CSV table of all heavy atoms in Angstrom, one decimal:
chain,number,residue,atom,x,y,z
A,1,ARG,N,14.0,-1.6,0.5
A,1,ARG,CA,15.1,-1.0,-0.3
A,1,ARG,C,14.5,0.2,-1.1
A,1,ARG,O,15.1,1.2,-1.3
A,1,ARG,CB,15.8,-2.0,-1.2
A,1,ARG,CG,16.9,-1.4,-2.0
A,1,ARG,CD,17.5,-2.5,-2.9
A,1,ARG,NE,18.0,-3.6,-2.2
A,1,ARG,CZ,18.5,-4.8,-2.7
A,1,ARG,NH1,18.4,-4.9,-4.1
A,1,ARG,NH2,19.0,-5.7,-2.0
A,2,GLU,N,13.3,-0.1,-1.7
A,2,GLU,CA,12.6,1.0,-2.4
A,2,GLU,C,11.1,0.7,-2.5
A,2,GLU,O,10.7,-0.5,-2.3
A,2,GLU,CB,13.2,1.1,-3.9
A,2,GLU,CG,13.0,-0.2,-4.7
A,2,GLU,CD,13.5,0.0,-6.1
A,2,GLU,OE1,12.7,0.6,-6.9
A,2,GLU,OE2,14.6,-0.5,-6.4
A,3,ILE,N,10.3,1.7,-2.6
A,3,ILE,CA,8.9,1.6,-2.8
A,3,ILE,C,8.5,2.4,-4.0
A,3,ILE,O,8.8,3.6,-4.1
A,3,ILE,CB,8.1,2.1,-1.6
A,3,ILE,CG1,8.5,1.3,-0.3
A,3,ILE,CG2,6.6,2.0,-1.8
A,3,ILE,CD1,7.8,1.8,0.9
A,4,ASP,N,7.8,1.8,-5.0
A,4,ASP,CA,7.4,2.5,-6.2
A,4,ASP,C,6.4,3.6,-5.8
A,4,ASP,O,5.4,3.3,-5.2
A,4,ASP,CB,6.9,1.5,-7.2
A,4,ASP,CG,6.7,2.2,-8.6
A,4,ASP,OD1,6.8,3.4,-8.7
A,4,ASP,OD2,6.5,1.4,-9.6
A,5,SER,N,6.7,4.8,-6.3
A,5,SER,CA,5.7,5.9,-5.9
A,5,SER,C,4.4,5.9,-6.7
A,5,SER,O,3.4,6.4,-6.3
A,5,SER,CB,6.4,7.3,-6.2
A,5,SER,OG,6.8,7.4,-7.6
A,6,THR,N,4.4,5.1,-7.8
A,6,THR,CA,3.2,5.0,-8.6
A,6,THR,C,2.4,3.8,-8.1
A,6,THR,O,2.9,2.7,-8.1
A,6,THR,CB,3.5,4.8,-10.1
A,6,THR,OG1,4.3,5.9,-10.6
A,6,THR,CG2,2.2,4.7,-10.9
A,7,PRO,N,1.2,4.0,-7.6
A,7,PRO,CA,0.4,2.9,-7.0
A,7,PRO,C,0.0,1.8,-8.1
A,7,PRO,O,-0.3,2.2,-9.2
A,7,PRO,CB,-0.8,3.5,-6.4
A,7,PRO,CG,-0.9,4.8,-7.1
A,7,PRO,CD,0.4,5.3,-7.5
A,8,LEU,N,0.0,0.6,-7.7
A,8,LEU,CA,-0.5,-0.5,-8.6
A,8,LEU,C,-2.0,-0.4,-8.6
A,8,LEU,O,-2.7,-0.7,-9.6
A,8,LEU,CB,-0.1,-1.9,-8.0
A,8,LEU,CG,1.3,-2.2,-8.1
A,8,LEU,CD1,1.6,-3.6,-7.3
A,8,LEU,CD2,1.8,-2.4,-9.5
A,9,GLY,N,-2.7,0.1,-7.6
A,9,GLY,CA,-4.1,0.3,-7.5
A,9,GLY,C,-4.5,1.1,-6.3
A,9,GLY,O,-3.8,1.0,-5.3
A,10,SER,N,-5.6,1.8,-6.4
A,10,SER,CA,-6.0,2.6,-5.3
A,10,SER,C,-7.5,2.4,-5.2
A,10,SER,O,-8.3,2.7,-6.1
A,10,SER,CB,-5.7,4.1,-5.5
A,10,SER,OG,-6.2,4.9,-4.4
A,11,ALA,N,-7.9,1.8,-4.0
A,11,ALA,CA,-9.4,1.5,-3.8
A,11,ALA,C,-9.9,2.2,-2.6
A,11,ALA,O,-9.2,3.1,-2.0
A,11,ALA,CB,-9.5,0.0,-3.6
A,12,SER,N,-11.1,2.0,-2.2
A,12,SER,CA,-11.7,2.7,-1.2
A,12,SER,C,-11.1,2.5,0.2
A,12,SER,O,-11.2,3.3,1.1
A,12,SER,CB,-13.2,2.4,-1.1
A,12,SER,OG,-13.4,1.0,-1.0
A,13,ILE,N,-10.6,1.3,0.4
A,13,ILE,CA,-10.0,0.9,1.7
A,13,ILE,C,-8.5,1.0,1.7
A,13,ILE,O,-7.9,1.4,2.7
A,13,ILE,CB,-10.5,-0.5,2.1
A,13,ILE,CG1,-12.0,-0.5,2.4
A,13,ILE,CG2,-9.7,-1.0,3.3
A,13,ILE,CD1,-12.6,-1.8,2.8
A,14,ALA,N,-7.9,0.6,0.7
A,14,ALA,CA,-6.4,0.6,0.7
A,14,ALA,C,-5.8,1.0,-0.6
A,14,ALA,O,-6.5,1.1,-1.7
A,14,ALA,CB,-6.0,-0.8,1.1
A,15,GLN,N,-4.5,1.1,-0.6
A,15,GLN,CA,-3.7,1.4,-1.8
A,15,GLN,C,-2.5,0.5,-1.9
A,15,GLN,O,-1.9,0.2,-0.9
A,15,GLN,CB,-3.3,2.9,-1.7
A,15,GLN,CG,-2.6,3.4,-3.0
A,15,GLN,CD,-2.5,4.9,-3.0
A,15,GLN,OE1,-3.6,5.6,-2.9
A,15,GLN,NE2,-1.3,5.5,-3.1
A,16,ALA,N,-2.2,0.0,-3.1
A,16,ALA,CA,-1.1,-1.0,-3.2
A,16,ALA,C,0.0,-0.4,-4.0
A,16,ALA,O,-0.2,0.3,-5.0
A,16,ALA,CB,-1.7,-2.3,-3.9
A,17,HIS,N,1.2,-0.7,-3.5
A,17,HIS,CA,2.5,-0.3,-4.2
A,17,HIS,C,3.4,-1.4,-4.4
A,17,HIS,O,3.5,-2.3,-3.5
A,17,HIS,CB,3.2,0.8,-3.4
A,17,HIS,CG,2.4,2.1,-3.4
A,17,HIS,ND1,2.8,3.2,-4.2
A,17,HIS,CD2,1.4,2.6,-2.7
A,17,HIS,CE1,2.0,4.2,-4.0
A,17,HIS,NE2,1.1,3.9,-3.1
A,18,ARG,N,4.2,-1.4,-5.5
A,18,ARG,CA,5.2,-2.4,-5.6
A,18,ARG,C,6.4,-1.9,-4.9
A,18,ARG,O,6.8,-0.7,-4.8
A,18,ARG,CB,5.5,-2.5,-7.1
A,18,ARG,CG,6.5,-3.6,-7.5
A,18,ARG,CD,6.6,-3.8,-9.0
A,18,ARG,NE,7.5,-4.8,-9.4
A,18,ARG,CZ,7.7,-5.2,-10.7
A,18,ARG,NH1,7.0,-4.5,-11.7
A,18,ARG,NH2,8.6,-6.1,-11.0
A,19,ALA,N,7.1,-2.9,-4.2
A,19,ALA,CA,8.3,-2.5,-3.4
A,19,ALA,C,9.3,-3.6,-3.4
A,19,ALA,O,9.1,-4.7,-4.0
A,19,ALA,CB,7.8,-2.3,-1.9
A,20,VAL,N,10.5,-3.3,-2.9
A,20,VAL,CA,11.6,-4.3,-2.8
A,20,VAL,C,12.1,-4.3,-1.4
A,20,VAL,O,12.4,-3.2,-0.8
A,20,VAL,CB,12.8,-3.9,-3.8
A,20,VAL,CG1,13.9,-5.0,-3.7
A,20,VAL,CG2,12.3,-3.9,-5.2
A,21,LEU,N,12.2,-5.5,-0.8
A,21,LEU,CA,12.7,-5.6,0.6
A,21,LEU,C,14.2,-5.4,0.6
A,21,LEU,O,14.9,-5.4,-0.4
A,21,LEU,CB,12.3,-7.0,1.1
A,21,LEU,CG,10.8,-7.3,1.3
A,21,LEU,CD1,10.7,-8.8,1.8
A,21,LEU,CD2,10.2,-6.4,2.3
A,22,THR,N,14.7,-5.1,1.8
A,22,THR,CA,16.2,-5.0,1.9
A,22,THR,C,16.9,-6.3,1.5
A,22,THR,O,18.1,-6.2,1.2
A,22,THR,CB,16.5,-4.6,3.4
A,22,THR,OG1,15.9,-5.6,4.3
A,22,THR,CG2,16.0,-3.2,3.7
A,23,THR,N,16.2,-7.4,1.5
A,23,THR,CA,16.8,-8.7,1.1
A,23,THR,C,16.8,-8.8,-0.4
A,23,THR,O,17.4,-9.7,-0.9
A,23,THR,CB,16.0,-9.8,1.7
A,23,THR,OG1,14.6,-9.7,1.2
A,23,THR,CG2,16.0,-9.8,3.2
A,24,GLY,N,16.1,-7.9,-1.1
A,24,GLY,CA,16.1,-7.9,-2.6
A,24,GLY,C,14.8,-8.6,-3.2
A,24,GLY,O,14.7,-8.6,-4.4
A,25,GLU,N,14.0,-9.1,-2.3
A,25,GLU,CA,12.8,-9.7,-2.8
A,25,GLU,C,11.7,-8.7,-3.2
A,25,GLU,O,11.4,-7.8,-2.4
A,25,GLU,CB,12.2,-10.7,-1.7
A,25,GLU,CG,11.0,-11.5,-2.1
A,25,GLU,CD,10.5,-12.5,-1.1
A,25,GLU,OE1,11.2,-12.5,0.0
A,25,GLU,OE2,9.5,-13.2,-1.3
A,26,GLU,N,11.1,-9.0,-4.3
A,26,GLU,CA,10.0,-8.1,-4.8
A,26,GLU,C,8.7,-8.4,-4.1
A,26,GLU,O,8.3,-9.6,-4.0
A,26,GLU,CB,9.8,-8.2,-6.3
A,26,GLU,CG,10.9,-7.5,-7.1
A,26,GLU,CD,10.6,-7.5,-8.6
A,26,GLU,OE1,10.7,-8.5,-9.3
A,26,GLU,OE2,10.2,-6.4,-9.1
A,27,VAL,N,8.0,-7.4,-3.6
A,27,VAL,CA,6.8,-7.6,-2.9
A,27,VAL,C,5.8,-6.5,-3.3
A,27,VAL,O,6.1,-5.6,-4.0
A,27,VAL,CB,7.0,-7.5,-1.4
A,27,VAL,CG1,7.9,-8.6,-0.9
A,27,VAL,CG2,7.5,-6.1,-1.0
A,28,VAL,N,4.5,-6.7,-2.8
A,28,VAL,CA,3.5,-5.7,-2.9
A,28,VAL,C,3.1,-5.3,-1.5
A,28,VAL,O,2.9,-6.2,-0.7
A,28,VAL,CB,2.2,-6.3,-3.7
A,28,VAL,CG1,1.1,-5.3,-3.6
A,28,VAL,CG2,2.6,-6.6,-5.1
A,29,ILE,N,3.1,-4.0,-1.3
A,29,ILE,CA,2.7,-3.5,0.0
A,29,ILE,C,1.3,-2.9,-0.1
A,29,ILE,O,1.1,-2.0,-0.9
A,29,ILE,CB,3.7,-2.6,0.6
A,29,ILE,CG1,3.3,-2.0,2.0
A,29,ILE,CG2,4.1,-1.5,-0.4
A,29,ILE,CD1,4.3,-1.2,2.7
A,30,LYS,N,0.4,-3.4,0.7
A,30,LYS,CA,-1.0,-2.9,0.7
A,30,LYS,C,-1.2,-2.0,2.0
A,30,LYS,O,-1.1,-2.5,3.1
A,30,LYS,CB,-2.0,-4.1,0.7
A,30,LYS,CG,-3.4,-3.7,0.5
A,30,LYS,CD,-4.2,-5.0,0.4
A,30,LYS,CE,-5.7,-4.7,0.3
A,30,LYS,NZ,-6.5,-6.0,0.2
A,31,VAL,N,-1.4,-0.7,1.8
A,31,VAL,CA,-1.5,0.2,2.9
A,31,VAL,C,-2.9,0.7,3.0
A,31,VAL,O,-3.6,1.2,2.0
A,31,VAL,CB,-0.6,1.4,2.6
A,31,VAL,CG1,-0.6,2.4,3.8
A,31,VAL,CG2,0.9,0.9,2.4
A,32,GLN,N,-3.5,0.7,4.2
A,32,GLN,CA,-4.8,1.1,4.5
A,32,GLN,C,-4.9,2.6,4.6
A,32,GLN,O,-4.0,3.3,5.1
A,32,GLN,CB,-5.3,0.5,5.8
A,32,GLN,CG,-6.8,0.7,6.1
A,32,GLN,CD,-7.3,-0.1,7.3
A,32,GLN,OE1,-7.9,0.4,8.2
A,32,GLN,NE2,-7.0,-1.4,7.3
A,33,ARG,N,-6.0,3.2,4.0
A,33,ARG,CA,-6.2,4.6,4.1
A,33,ARG,C,-6.3,5.1,5.5
A,33,ARG,O,-7.1,4.4,6.3
A,33,ARG,CB,-7.4,5.0,3.3
A,33,ARG,CG,-7.3,4.9,1.8
A,33,ARG,CD,-8.5,5.2,1.0
A,33,ARG,NE,-8.3,5.2,-0.4
A,33,ARG,CZ,-8.0,6.2,-1.1
A,33,ARG,NH1,-7.8,7.4,-0.5
A,33,ARG,NH2,-7.8,6.1,-2.4
A,34,PRO,N,-5.7,6.1,5.9
A,34,PRO,CA,-5.8,6.6,7.3
A,34,PRO,C,-7.2,7.1,7.6
A,34,PRO,O,-7.9,7.8,6.9
A,34,PRO,CB,-4.8,7.8,7.3
A,34,PRO,CG,-4.7,8.3,5.9
A,34,PRO,CD,-4.9,7.0,5.1
A,35,GLY,N,-7.7,6.6,8.8
A,35,GLY,CA,-9.0,7.0,9.3
A,35,GLY,C,-10.2,6.4,8.5
A,35,GLY,O,-11.3,6.8,8.8
A,36,ILE,N,-9.9,5.4,7.7
A,36,ILE,CA,-11.0,4.8,6.9
A,36,ILE,C,-12.1,4.1,7.7
A,36,ILE,O,-13.3,4.2,7.4
A,36,ILE,CB,-10.5,3.9,5.8
A,36,ILE,CG1,-11.6,3.4,4.8
A,36,ILE,CG2,-9.8,2.7,6.4
A,36,ILE,CD1,-12.2,4.6,4.0
A,37,HIS,N,-11.6,3.5,8.8
A,37,HIS,CA,-12.6,2.8,9.7
A,37,HIS,C,-13.6,3.8,10.3
A,37,HIS,O,-14.8,3.6,10.2
A,37,HIS,CB,-11.8,2.2,10.9
A,37,HIS,CG,-12.7,1.3,11.7
A,37,HIS,ND1,-13.5,1.8,12.7
A,37,HIS,CD2,-12.9,-0.1,11.7
A,37,HIS,CE1,-14.1,0.8,13.3
A,37,HIS,NE2,-13.8,-0.3,12.7
A,38,GLU,N,-13.1,5.0,10.8
A,38,GLU,CA,-14.0,5.9,11.4
A,38,GLU,C,-14.9,6.6,10.3
A,38,GLU,O,-16.1,6.9,10.5
A,38,GLU,CB,-13.2,7.0,12.1
A,38,GLU,CG,-14.1,8.1,12.8
A,38,GLU,CD,-15.0,7.5,13.8
A,38,GLU,OE1,-14.7,6.5,14.4
A,38,GLU,OE2,-16.1,8.2,14.0
A,39,ILE,N,-14.3,6.8,9.1
A,39,ILE,CA,-15.1,7.4,8.0
A,39,ILE,C,-16.2,6.5,7.6
A,39,ILE,O,-17.4,6.9,7.4
A,39,ILE,CB,-14.2,7.7,6.8
A,39,ILE,CG1,-13.2,8.8,7.1
A,39,ILE,CG2,-15.0,8.1,5.6
A,39,ILE,CD1,-12.1,9.0,6.1
A,40,MET,N,-15.9,5.2,7.4
A,40,MET,CA,-17.0,4.3,7.0
A,40,MET,C,-18.0,4.1,8.1
A,40,MET,O,-19.2,4.0,7.8
A,40,MET,CB,-16.3,2.9,6.6
A,40,MET,CG,-15.4,3.0,5.4
A,40,MET,SD,-14.8,1.4,4.8
A,40,MET,CE,-16.3,0.8,4.0
A,41,ARG,N,-17.6,4.1,9.3
A,41,ARG,CA,-18.5,3.9,10.4
A,41,ARG,C,-19.5,5.1,10.5
A,41,ARG,O,-20.7,5.0,10.6
A,41,ARG,CB,-17.8,3.8,11.8
A,41,ARG,CG,-18.7,3.5,12.9
A,41,ARG,CD,-18.0,3.8,14.3
A,41,ARG,NE,-17.7,5.2,14.4
A,41,ARG,CZ,-18.6,6.1,14.7
A,41,ARG,NH1,-19.8,5.8,14.9
A,41,ARG,NH2,-18.2,7.4,14.8
């Protein structure tokens, strides 16, 4: 339903955002940085 644009935290591998599902449940979505696997390798 919505994703908070301000991240809860931003680390080297992923970034976390507070969000709300279409069902109304509050969740945290952890999104991996694009290309991080190849960069670290």
Side-chain angles (χ1 to χ4, degrees):
R1 181 184 299 173
E2 62 177 282
I3 300 177
D4 192 346
S5 60
T6 303
L8 292 172
S10 181
S12 56
I13 290 179
Q15 186 164 303
H17 288 259
R18 189 172 178 176
V20 180
L21 297 176
T22 54
T23 59
E25 184 176 358
E26 287 190 282
V27 297
V28 170
I29 177 172
K30 187 174 177 181
V31 182
Q32 188 171 129
R33 288 178 175 270
I36 188 64
H37 187 281
E38 181 60 27
I39 292 171
M40 295 186 77
R41 187 197 63 77

